[in-house]
Amino acid sequence: MQSRPPSSAIVIGSGIVGAATAYFLARRGIAVRLIDASAPAAEATGAADGAVSVASKRPGPMMAAALKGVRLYGELADEGLFAGAFKRRSTFIVAASDEECAVLDAHSAALAGAGVRVETLSETDLRRDFPVLSPQAKMAVEVHGEGHAIGYQIVHRLLTASGITVDRDTRVEGLRLEDGGRRIAGIGTSRGSLTADVVVIAAGNGSAGLLGLSGVLTPRKGQLLVTERAPALNAAMRGAIMSGRYLLSKGSQKAGHAPPPRGLGLVIDPLVTGQFLIGGTREDFGKRETNDIDAVSRILKDAVALVPGLAGVRLLRSFAGVRTAVIDGLPLVGRIPGLENGYVATGFEGDGICLGPVTGKSIVQLICGEEPDLDFSSFEPARFAGHGVAA
Ligand SMILES: Cc1cc2nc3c(=O)[nH]c(=O)nc-3n(C[C@H](O)[C@H](O)[C@H](O)COP(=O)(O)OP(=O)(O)OC[C@H]3O[C@@H](n4cnc5c(N)ncnc54)[C@H](O)[C@@H]3O)c2cc1C
């Protein structure tokens, strides 16, 4: 294992995870090459919603990690790095059926048990304090202390602050090993070879090919909508609204619970611009950058059912992105088994905006031989060693 801080590092992928890793490496004076097959935030990071949120996380390691992720956003906003890019707000998880009320009650207890400040709002509270919600809403849980950030803006902040220029349009084609396969000597790219003391793979869906993990990492598409500005309605929304169904769609209640081929969970986020970001789907099929009328109309129908005032707001655009999911529902973060100087950080599915900065910080702590802020024990790549991740 790398015992002393390295002098140089290559980070593969300039999404939020790679950009954060590069930022924290550079902050320690380590020379960084940040390589991307395309451009910064070109993939999931540039096509995400941006909930920096514990609200929907499954109890256990993901909830614990998200708590640290949200906390770091707050610290970096206070420091100035994320000032103006991280909007603090609550999340309101709203239940519209008896089944959703039951799931929400259990989830609220789990959040409170993890130390999250939650507040239950009865139907009467909602009618009085949250009139923009439709009468369908039977109860809600307010999750305090959360926020929202646009992924590509965070990447821009990280790159600008660290002065890192991304090697764009440079596809990493493979790792070159030495010392009987125990060390990465360098990487082969579409523009030639590069060497460094350590290599971090943060290539989202591109990580599967580099690690031989195509059966373990899977693409999961999502479709989102953005409305025009509607300042009065926006101001009346005290935070993001998440349908209780989102918990079911995301499989937050049971570890290993696979989502349906096309899950539809509703999150309505009032943006600082006065617009609304509304999402979205979780799909294991479909063309990556396309939207389809079925998904768009279902999202709109659900949104208007929960917030009827949205019926008078025009849709500006729809877009789609592809998350990187791991078959067991947990990310893949840590040292690559069998390699002294190789690390991976990917597989955050729908949580990478929240977890990107804290993961970048923690993987750099690991590289430098320190105790990472995040507990990686459940995220260890070694759990898939038999699938090809081992060198
Ligand atoms: C619709 C949607 C909604 C979402 N909503 C949220 C949300 O509300 N909250 C939240 O926390 N998260 C959300 N996410 C998830 C979040 O966007 C991702 O988890 C996160 O952006 C992943 O970041 P990343 O850096 O790991 O990967 P990516 O952003 O996918 O970046 C990987 C980068 O690696 C590059 N690359 C790939 N292969 C190679 C190669 N061989 N050589 C060089 N470069 C390579 C790519 O070009 C890309 O730039 C959402 C995602 C989607 C799609």
Side-chain angles (χ1 to χ4, degrees), residues 12-19 35-53 57 148 170-173 202-207 210 220-224 246 281 319-324 345-355:
I12 307 171
S14 62
I16 195 165
V17 177
I35 319 266
D36 203 289
S38 176
E43 295 290 339
T45 301
D49 176 338
V52 177
S53 168
K57 304 297 180 286
H148 189 267
T170 307
R171 176 166 298 282
V172 177
E173 288 160 348
N205 284 307
S207 311
L210 294 171
R220 185 156 292 151
K221 175 176 167 174
Q223 301 189 46
L224 294 173
Y246 187 78
T281 59
F319 62 96
V322 186
R323 314 165 179 96
T324 308
T346 192
F348 296 93
E349 222 231 296
D351 301 319
I353 303 301
C354 177
L355 295 179

Side-chain angles (χ1 to χ4, degrees), residues 91-108 119-124 126-127 130 133-142 240-248 266 305-306:
T91 303
F92 292 83
I93 315 178
V94 179
S97 68
D98 290 343
E99 190 198 3
E100 286 176 19
C101 285
V103 171
L104 189 49
D105 271 335
H107 191 66
S108 168
E119 210 173 315
T120 301
L121 304 170
S122 68
E123 201 166 350
T124 316
L126 291 177
R127 295 294 87 80
F130 219 146
L133 280 181
S134 98
Q136 277 189 12
K138 283 175 172 278
M139 71 170 276
V141 168
E142 177 172 4
I241 293 178
M242 182 185 291
S243 157
R245 194 184 333 135
Y246 187 78
L247 298 177
L248 303 173
L266 181 68
L306 209 51

Side-chain angles (χ1 to χ4, degrees), residues 138-275:
K138 283 175 172 278
M139 71 170 276
V141 168
E142 177 172 4
V143 184
H144 290 269
E146 308 228 296
H148 189 267
I150 304 286
Y152 60 81
Q153 288 180 355
I154 295 297
V155 167
H156 181 70
R157 293 284 176 100
L158 292 164
L159 297 181
T160 312
S162 53
I164 292 169
T165 306
V166 176
D167 290 21
R168 295 171 178 234
D169 292 324
T170 307
R171 176 166 298 282
V172 177
E173 288 160 348
L175 310 176
R176 196 161 43 78
L177 303 184
E178 62 183 5
D179 275 0
R182 288 197 307 273
R183 278 187 69 80
I184 302 176
I187 58 167
T189 82
S190 49
R191 292 172 187 261
S193 302
L194 291 170
T195 57
D197 293 342
V198 297
V199 174
V200 182
I201 299 176
N205 284 307
S207 311
L210 294 171
L211 293 164
L213 282 181
S214 37
V216 169
L217 294 169
T218 59
R220 185 156 292 151
K221 175 176 167 174
Q223 301 189 46
L224 294 173
L225 314 178
V226 182
T227 73
E228 65 176 348
R229 295 177 66 246
L233 185 63
N234 186 293
M237 294 261 283
R238 296 164 46 204
I241 293 178
M242 182 185 291
S243 157
R245 194 184 333 135
Y246 187 78
L247 298 177
L248 303 173
S249 145
K250 207 173 177 192
S252 300
Q253 297 307 299
K254 289 180 216 133
H257 170 78
R262 174 181 266 176
L264 195 69
L266 181 68
V267 180
I268 305 170
D269 225 312
L271 300 179
V272 278
T273 54
Q275 297 167 281

Side-chain angles (χ1 to χ4, degrees), residues 346-367:
T346 192
F348 296 93
E349 222 231 296
D351 301 319
I353 303 301
C354 177
L355 295 179
V358 75
T359 299
K361 184 178 181 200
S362 301
I363 202 103
V364 172
Q365 289 167 325
L366 182 71
I367 289 169

Side-chain angles (χ1 to χ4, degrees), residues 2-6 25 28 30 363-370:
Q2 192 77 32
S3 50
R4 295 182 276 121
L25 285 164
R28 291 172 181 254
I30 297 167
I363 202 103
V364 172
Q365 289 167 325
L366 182 71
I367 289 169
C368 293
E370 299 165 12

Side-chain angles (χ1 to χ4, degrees), residues 253-321:
Q253 297 307 299
K254 289 180 216 133
H257 170 78
R262 174 181 266 176
L264 195 69
L266 181 68
V267 180
I268 305 170
D269 225 312
L271 300 179
V272 278
T273 54
Q275 297 167 281
F276 292 94
L277 187 52
I278 309 175
T281 59
R282 310 180 91 76
E283 308 171 41
D284 289 340
F285 59 90
K287 200 151 174 272
R288 55 190 284 273
E289 273 150 6
T290 57
N291 289 91
D292 62 84
I293 194 72
D294 173 61
V296 172
S297 57
R298 281 172 66 194
I299 295 168
L300 282 175
K301 192 163 154 276
D302 279 8
V304 170
L306 209 51
V307 179
L310 283 171
V313 181
R314 276 174 297 197
L315 178 64
L316 270 194
R317 75 178 184 110
S318 57
F319 62 96

